Amino acid sequence: MKRLMTGVASGALLAVLAGCSAPNEPAADTQAAAPATASPVTVADAEQFLADATTELREFSEFGARTAWVQNNFITYDTNWLLERMSTQGTEMAVRLATETARFNELEMTTEMSRQMNVLRAGITLPAPSDSAAAARLSELTTRMGSAYSTGLMEIDGEMVDHNELENIMRTSRDPEFLSHVWAGWRDSYNPEQMSTDYAEMVEIANAGARDLGFSDLAEMWLSNYDMPADEMEAEVERLWGQVEPLYEQLHCAVRSELNGLYGDEVQAAEGPIRADLLGNMWAQSWAALADVASVSDAGPAYDLTQLLVDADYDQIRMVETAETFFTSLGMEELPDTFWERSLITQPRDRQVACHASAWNLDSVDDLRIKMCTRVNADDFVTVHHELGHNFYQRAYNQQDFLFQGGAHDGFHEAIGDFIALSVTPDYLVQIGLLDQADVPDASADLGLLMDTALDKIAFLPFAVMMDQWRWRVLRGEIQPDSYNDAWWELRESYQGIVPPVERGETAFDPGSKYHIANNVPYLRYFLSFIMQFQFHEAACEMAGWEGPLHRCSIYGNEEVGARFSAMMEMGASQPWPDALEAFTGTREMDGSAIIAYFQPLMTHLEEQNATRDCGW
Ligand code: X8Z
Ligand code: ZN
């Protein structure tokens, strides 16, 4: 989601203003170094400072959001210029306010006030040192990277093909030569050499900015937004990954075997890592497009949601309307008319836009919008729920103080819509007329249904972890610019068990192939979301009195669950996240046991199937 912001502006401003999700969560209890000349200050001074900062930020946020919206919807020399200017101002303002919080370090104040101070200090995605032209340079670098990412083209058979279409080819083609050609073409399309140089310079500036604010580096600053010390949060991530890793290994083993069967040893060996371009996705982050290849052999026929949508003549608007109806069925209010008037839902053909899906609240009240080059397929059906989840969350917490208008942490923001989409079950599809009752798969298809979901949700987990492992190491100086790409592939192989289909040249910068790296959107949020959305689902189904298998449970139409969920959403970032989690699920911990329980039958089945295989890589 974005309050202000677009990937391109991300990092330029206070996190309140940044990102693809709402990162203005309170920081852990660390403080910027107090200036030596600090004069005694009172609680009244602190209150006044917070009130003034809020007014300034709120006003700038709307200006910034509208600038970023226009640039994202119309990428030209001039809109880049405007974005750059806006983003420089935003960074300067956010850094100035963050620095000023140090005046109040020694002051006894209410928990609420100190949470707000922490939002100001730790919530900037990309800070810059305040004593130079650093903010302007940072903005130039981030705008160039973001814009290069969004406007990249590749020539195929004499035609220039954009990213949206290249993604589609990766999803549907089963021609290994063509796949590797397109895979590599994407990674040439954004001027990787320039992006790599820009990235290295950006890291220097943002780290210096983080150090000025009292952090050892930007990695520590990013990790300080989870109501606990940064090192504890990092250990949490390790713990959660350890819980789900065995599931991924089984999935990897089964899918590798299917790909070996499909393509033969020459293309995909039966052992070792998997070729990254064979997994139905440009980044091998979701393998859902392989549902036909990696089906579970003894399961009954499942259904193909893409086909159902196409057969029912769904267009892009209808997909979004259907998602909206899910939210309103839980008792939430309809989206405002302006959502429909102002959103970008289909890809315009006459101009360059940032196609990566995002959700916005431009005025921090209810000027809600999505921007998405929607395609009529199952992946995007989930994504429209994902984006509306951001919008419904934004509206739910719009009564909070401005500095608390954000997710309980950024993983919550990413989990709302995905949690709703877990309720897209066969029975739900019957209810909305997409599936005939007679075609509802019976229990014999359960493993097939679980496999389809695992190809999306389980395949994603190591990708989500390695993304920020790479960034944290870069930000800590453990990975230097000359080994950006090699280190990237070491992590890809180690976590995901995948390798590039073609040798990577000297100038390759493959991390830049991913939106969130080129646009500086932290990625840990998605890993946390994929863990927590199953916790939400399990708790919701229990509330609803559901007794069957979790993957058959849909909370569609359940206003009681909706009311409890809305109560959590309305809290925004006003309380530590364990309080928000507890309000809905009854537990104060993020925990992988819900996702493990959900996939347990599949896990057992895969372990049996893989018993004779040499799993791992
Ligand atoms: O970036 C997104 C959303 C916008 S916040 C479309 N997602 C991640 C990605 O595409 O890499 C959703 C799932 C993961
Ligand atoms: Zn999102």
Side-chain angles (χ1 to χ4, degrees):
M1 93 82 172
K2 18 208 98 183
R3 173 86 64 72
L4 172 172
M5 147 55 197
T6 127
V8 187
S10 115
L13 300 177
L14 229 209
V16 199
L17 314 174
C20 190
S21 124
N24 57 332
E25 325 68 28
D29 224 3
T30 47
Q31 296 177 326
T37 55
S39 53
V41 286
T42 63
V43 171
D45 293 335
E47 279 169 350
Q48 190 59 49
F49 165 72
L50 286 170
D52 293 346
T54 300
T55 306
E56 194 178 357
L57 278 170
R58 184 196 287 279
E59 275 170 19
F60 189 85
S61 166
E62 181 163 1
F63 164 66
R66 297 198 191 282
T67 310
W69 175 266
V70 173
Q71 188 271 353
N72 264 235
N73 280 272
F74 193 80
I75 305 175
T76 66
Y77 174 84
D78 299 290
T79 57
N80 284 341
W81 189 96
L82 289 165
L83 179 75
E84 222 177 283
R85 189 61 73 88
M86 177 281 289
S87 152
T88 302
Q89 280 177 32
T91 301
E92 284 169 351
M93 177 188 66
V95 169
R96 170 170 48 76
L97 295 173
T99 308
E100 277 184 52
T101 62
R103 281 170 52 211
F104 308 101
N105 279 356
E106 306 304 323
L107 193 67
E108 290 275 323
M109 58 182 107
T110 63
T111 318
E112 186 169 300
M113 286 168 74
S114 77
R115 286 177 68 73
Q116 294 185 332
M117 294 286 181
N118 283 333
V119 170
L120 288 174
R121 192 180 78 94
I124 309 175
T125 306
L126 286 187
S130 48
D131 58 353
S132 64
R137 180 62 181 161
L138 184 65
S139 177
E140 191 182 336
L141 296 167
T142 55
T143 303
R144 183 158 62 217
M145 289 192 287
S147 170
Y149 179 91
S150 291
T151 57
L153 298 168
M154 174 187 178
E155 189 188 324
I156 301 179
D157 294 336
E159 276 195 39
M160 297 315 284
V161 179
D162 71 17
H163 278 188
N164 219 30
E165 183 49 31
L166 297 179
E167 273 190 59
N168 214 27
I169 295 172
M170 296 307 293
R171 181 180 300 115
T172 48
S173 170
R174 298 287 181 262
D175 171 352
E177 248 177 69
F178 187 46
L179 282 168
S180 75
H181 179 64
V182 170
W183 185 95
W186 174 293
R187 286 157 179 79
D188 283 335
S189 75
Y190 47 81
N191 197 349
E193 204 172 356
Q194 171 82 57
M195 195 186 281
S196 176
T197 312
D198 286 351
Y199 198 86
E201 190 182 344
M202 178 200 76
V203 166
E204 292 300 317
I205 298 174
N207 264 339
R211 282 192 295 268
D212 279 1
L213 294 173
F215 299 94
S216 52
D217 51 46
L218 186 60
E220 191 199 23
M221 188 162 161
W222 283 8
L223 278 161
S224 293
N225 282 294
Y226 297 93
D227 293 302
M228 63 175 85
D231 55 344
E232 281 177 32
M233 184 57 198
E234 203 175 345
E236 267 299 273
V237 178
E238 278 304 308
R239 179 182 69 81
L240 294 168
W241 168 237
Q243 283 186 294
V244 294
E245 194 179 358
L247 252 173
Y248 179 72
E249 278 171 13
Q250 294 299 321
L251 183 72
H252 181 281
C253 196
V255 168
R256 182 180 60 194
S257 163
E258 298 294 340
L259 290 173
N260 173 250
L262 178 70
Y263 291 116
D265 292 343
E266 290 296 301
V267 173
Q268 177 58 58
E271 288 171 11
I274 301 177
R275 232 179 83 163
D277 58 336
L278 303 180
L279 289 157
N281 177 274
M282 186 56 82
W283 310 272
Q285 70 178 65
S286 160
W287 307 348
L290 293 191
D292 55 332
V293 177
S295 58
V296 178
S297 47
D298 55 358
Y303 56 86
D304 175 352
L305 180 54
T306 299
Q307 200 54 49
L308 296 181
L309 291 164
V310 170
D311 290 348
D313 253 351
Y314 266 55
D315 62 11
Q316 289 90 340
I317 302 287
R318 180 107 186 259
M319 302 221 321
V320 182
E321 285 169 348
T322 306
E324 183 198 23
T325 304
F326 202 120
F327 286 88
T328 55
S329 88
L330 300 175
M332 297 173 204
E333 225 187 290
E334 278 182 5
L335 292 165
D337 290 346
T338 51
F339 172 91
W340 300 101
E341 290 156 16
R342 299 172 189 169
S343 287
L344 180 126
I345 294 175
T346 52
Q347 183 177 9
R349 287 290 159 202
D350 58 349
R351 62 182 203 263
Q352 291 199 288
V353 303
C355 265
H356 189 85
S358 55
W360 306 53
N361 183 3
L362 284 91
D363 63 356
S364 307
V365 184
D366 61 358
D367 190 350
L368 305 166
R369 308 179 196 176
I370 62 170
K371 179 188 59 56
M372 177 170 171
C373 302
T374 319
R375 293 152 295 205
V376 179
N377 64 37
D379 272 7
D380 277 8
F381 193 63
V382 173
T383 305
V384 294
H385 290 80
H386 176 95
E387 297 308 332
L388 291 198
H390 286 310
N391 282 153
F392 278 93
Y393 201 6
Q394 287 161 336
R395 192 176 54 186
Y397 59 59
N398 70 6
Q399 299 295 316
Q400 291 289 345
D401 280 352
F402 185 75
L403 292 174
F404 291 149
Q405 291 187 18
H409 67 49
D410 53 8
F412 281 70
H413 231 297
E414 300 304 333
I416 307 291
D418 284 15
F419 151 63
I420 297 298
L422 286 177
S423 278
V424 176
T425 57
D427 282 344
Y428 164 72
L429 293 174
V430 171
Q431 274 178 283
I432 63 165
L434 266 176
L435 187 67
D436 287 340
Q437 182 66 49
D439 295 331
V440 171
D442 65 23
S444 70
D446 274 357
L447 288 174
L449 292 170
L450 281 174
M451 185 66 174
D452 286 359
T453 312
L455 288 169
D456 189 18
K457 304 291 183 185
I458 303 298
F460 181 75
L461 297 167
F463 174 74
V465 176
M466 72 71 57
M467 279 275 285
D468 277 0
Q469 288 290 342
W470 182 83
R471 266 194 296 213
W472 296 338
R473 288 177 202 197
V474 167
L475 294 170
R476 288 171 182 150
E478 293 159 14
I479 299 173
Q480 288 293 315
D482 59 359
S483 54
Y484 275 171
N485 217 49
D486 289 346
W488 171 259
W489 281 107
E490 273 163 33
L491 288 166
R492 290 273 261 173
E493 180 162 353
S494 148
Y495 278 94
Q496 290 183 273
I498 63 170
V499 285
V502 287
E503 207 176 313
R504 308 311 293 138
E506 283 286 298
T507 58
F509 182 58
D510 296 333
S513 70
K514 185 63 193 157
Y515 172 87
H516 302 72
I517 297 215
N519 290 280
N520 292 297
V521 181
Y523 214 79
L524 176 59
R525 62 189 60 179
Y526 302 104
F527 176 68
L528 302 178
S529 155
F530 274 54
I531 300 287
M532 286 195 308
Q533 59 191 253
F534 287 91
Q535 290 184 263
F536 291 161
H537 183 70
E538 190 177 56
C541 295
E542 198 176 313
M543 254 174 249
W546 177 258
E547 282 174 356
L550 278 172
H551 67 280
R552 294 277 186 164
C553 162
S554 177
I555 56 156
Y556 181 63
N558 192 321
E559 293 200 11
E560 196 192 320
V561 171
R564 295 248 329 240
F565 198 60
S566 291
M568 181 192 84
M569 291 201 295
E570 283 160 19
M571 292 165 75
S574 65
Q575 308 293 326
W577 66 259
D579 291 5
L581 187 62
E582 189 174 25
F584 186 63
T585 66
T587 168
R588 298 180 61 79
E589 293 225 323
M590 294 186 277
D591 189 55
S593 59
I595 189 169
I596 291 167
Y598 186 101
F599 288 106
Q600 190 54 58
L602 180 69
M603 180 69 170
T604 308
H605 172 80
L606 291 179
E607 278 171 343
E608 277 164 28
Q609 271 207 329
N610 291 333
T612 54
R613 296 176 183 144
D614 191 7
C615 290
W617 51 86

